[in-house]
Amino acid sequence: MATENDIVLIYFEDQPLSFARIEQILPDNKPDWYHVKLLMLQLPLQVVTWILRDRYIMGDEFTMNGKRMRLEKVVCPDALPEEADHDEDDADKSSSSADEKATVISLKDKRKR
């Protein structure tokens, strides 16, 4: 189940629509219903509050104005072993060649006066 500070992907009619961060989950007067405050991660930033059942917060499909919606908790993927090995090899190659021709550029000198 998604909880406060989790990132969720909002699906609209089975298509990913937007990311949002759950800011707050407060109980509603009706049992098993909650006020879910979401920070929509798009421009311009917008805060919305949806009244949802607990199972909708867990990822079950629901409808808004007759349109199918769903929240899916976003989990940070682990680096794949192939990618990690590839990145390490590139880092070793680039660090040895970069050391030979590295130059330090002072941004202080480039600053506008």
Side-chain angles (χ1 to χ4, degrees), residues 77-89:
D78 294 330
L80 298 174
E82 299 169 3
E83 292 177 359
D85 292 341
H86 182 68
D87 291 342
E88 289 173 8
D89 293 341

Side-chain angles (χ1 to χ4, degrees), residues 29-58:
N29 293 336
K30 297 183 281 184
D32 298 327
W33 287 83
Y34 297 90
H35 291 251
V36 181
K37 184 178 176 183
L38 299 166
L39 172 65
M40 305 301 283
L41 300 176
Q42 58 190 18
L43 293 174
L45 288 176
Q46 183 179 4
V47 176
V48 297
T49 300
W50 291 351
I51 301 174
L52 300 173
R53 290 187 115 159
D54 55 358
R55 66 179 196 233
Y56 302 151
I57 302 169
M58 290 185 222

Side-chain angles (χ1 to χ4, degrees), residues 62-109:
F62 57 96
T63 59
M64 280 189 171
N65 295 327
K67 304 292 184 182
R68 292 187 327 272
M69 306 281 291
R70 181 169 57 91
L71 299 178
E72 181 180 288
K73 182 177 174 181
V74 175
V75 179
C76 181
D78 294 330
L80 298 174
E82 299 169 3
E83 292 177 359
D85 292 341
H86 182 68
D87 291 342
E88 289 173 8
D89 293 341
D90 289 347
D92 292 341
K93 291 176 187 175
S94 64
S95 64
S96 62
S97 63
D99 290 340
E100 296 169 6
K101 41 185 166 167
T103 306
V104 176
I105 300 172
S106 173
L107 296 178
K108 185 177 178 182
D109 297 337

